[in-house]
Amino acid sequence: MPDKQAAAAIASGLEGIEAGTTSVCSVEQGQLLYRGYEIHDLAEHATFEEVAHLLLVGHKPSTSELAAFKRELAPLRNVPEWILDVVRRVAPKSHPMDALRTGVSLLSHIDPDVADNSLAANLRKAKRLLAAIPTVIGAGQRAIDGKATVAPDPSLGHAANLLYVMTGERPSDLIARAMDVSLILYAEHEFNASTFTCRTIAGTLSDMHSAVCGGIGALKGPLHGGANEAAMEMLKEVGTLENVRAFMDNAFATKRKIMGFGHRVYKNGDHRAPILREWGLKLTKERPQFRKWFDIGDAVQKIMLDEKKIHPNVDFPCGLTYFTMGIPVPQYTPIFVASRITGWCAHIMEQHADNRLIRPLSVYTGPAKRSWNG
Ligand code: CMC
């Protein structure tokens, strides 16, 4: 007989369950810390490359370590033409997350360390993926736009180069830093759905590329990373400040989720959201025509807080900020990948370094034992 009592006792969605240990990241009293460094501190004082080094190598880089890290990453941005060719072919007919997943899968075929799960090989693979992912994203977007692929610029940082390969234009310092901060905020978040997916795949002793493909699949969903796209699409649907009240009334009446709001871990607000909102607002000083979208967002946020006590998560200001940068909405979640690849790879390395298969049990709720022949 199905054990209904046991089923009821299971935390739905594994809410509140500690499913393993990690030294990569923690959430302490609502604060997000990467290896002990709090997210406000990192967003204010670090660059994305420094954070990537912190997550992947395990410590804050010295000046010379950072320079060496950047020198190592720059040539790894180059991706063979045959891979970019496949990406260019599929991109115009697919969601960019699907094209990116295919690109990462193809990268596994040229990686000399693909089947080696040692720490040293995993670190080499993580750096290759970190450097190559923007090139794949850029080739896909340029194909969608009917334009030639732009070769990565080794003189640019990760964030500026990501924008450059997508648009063909070098971003202003302000836009590059706003993107850099968004990548810092997105880099890591302990056992979120995509990272847990990566760890589960790595836990079978499968390889890093396979785990990252799984992570991309999990991140794509609108309840996870896909929320940054969904939030902006929703705001476009609202359209005007005057329409906010009617939109929200209808959403509440039809139990429609307001995208970019709510969080499994942060019930009193996601600390990353105000940081990114501030950066988005800075951009509107140079691009005042986008200010209207922040006003609409603020009105939605006020109603959500006043009437539902639900706060925005980082994906809400992210949608607004990337929109202000002029980035096509379907690229918001791939950009999330260009950052979260660091957290995923850090967790995959940690899993491989001290592995035990992840294999929980389920509580059966189907029919009781019966005979096939009746
Ligand atoms: N809009 C409307 N109601 C909401 C929302 C929302 N965005 N989020 C939560 N609620 C309600 C929910 O309906 C439930 O109400 P009730 O108790 O009456 O059924 C209550 O709040 C508790 O929510 P929950 O669904 O039990 O919360 P959860 O921890 O299972 O889900 C969540 C968390 C993030 C999936 C959910 O808040 C959600 O769907 N948000 C919208 C999608 C989104 O923004 N996702 C991004 C997540 S954070 C960053 C990232 O991963 O990229």
Side-chain angles (χ1 to χ4, degrees), residues 175 178-179 182 186 225-241 244 258-261 272-285 287-302 312-333 335:
I175 291 180
M179 175 57 79
S182 78
Y186 265 151
N228 56 11
E229 296 174 23
M232 197 57 229
E233 289 298 358
M234 186 196 70
L235 288 174
K236 281 163 67 182
E237 203 183 320
V238 178
T240 63
L241 202 50
V244 171
I258 305 301
M259 303 316 283
F261 283 81
R272 299 167 298 175
I275 302 175
L276 200 49
R277 180 178 181 276
E278 213 174 292
W279 275 98
L281 280 173
K282 273 188 210 172
L283 298 184
T284 64
K285 301 241 163 69
R287 300 177 171 199
Q289 69 274 29
F290 288 94
R291 176 66 215 219
K292 130 183 183 186
W293 298 102
F294 283 83
D295 295 339
I296 294 171
D298 285 350
V300 169
Q301 185 170 325
K302 184 169 180 343
N313 58 57
V314 67
D315 290 318
F316 194 63
C318 174
L320 286 160
T321 304
Y322 290 173
F323 194 65
T324 307
M325 287 181 186
I327 299 168
V329 175
Q331 290 292 1
Y332 297 0
T333 320
I335 292 173

Side-chain angles (χ1 to χ4, degrees), residues 15 186 189 192 219 222-227 252 255-265 267 270 272 304 308 310 313-315 336:
E15 179 167 5
Y186 265 151
H189 210 195
N192 61 87
L219 192 76
L223 297 188
H224 190 9
F252 293 157
K255 295 206 176 301
R256 177 176 169 172
K257 282 262 175 93
I258 305 301
M259 303 316 283
F261 283 81
H263 200 282
R264 174 61 63 79
V265 179
K267 296 301 180 194
D270 177 342
R272 299 167 298 175
M304 282 298 276
K308 297 284 173 190
I310 298 177
N313 58 57
V314 67
D315 290 318
F336 195 156

Side-chain angles (χ1 to χ4, degrees), residues 29-30 263 265-271 305 309-312:
Q29 288 148 5
H263 200 282
V265 179
Y266 305 119
K267 296 301 180 194
N268 296 315
D270 177 342
H271 282 211
L305 268 174
K309 308 274 177 286
I310 298 177
H311 296 259

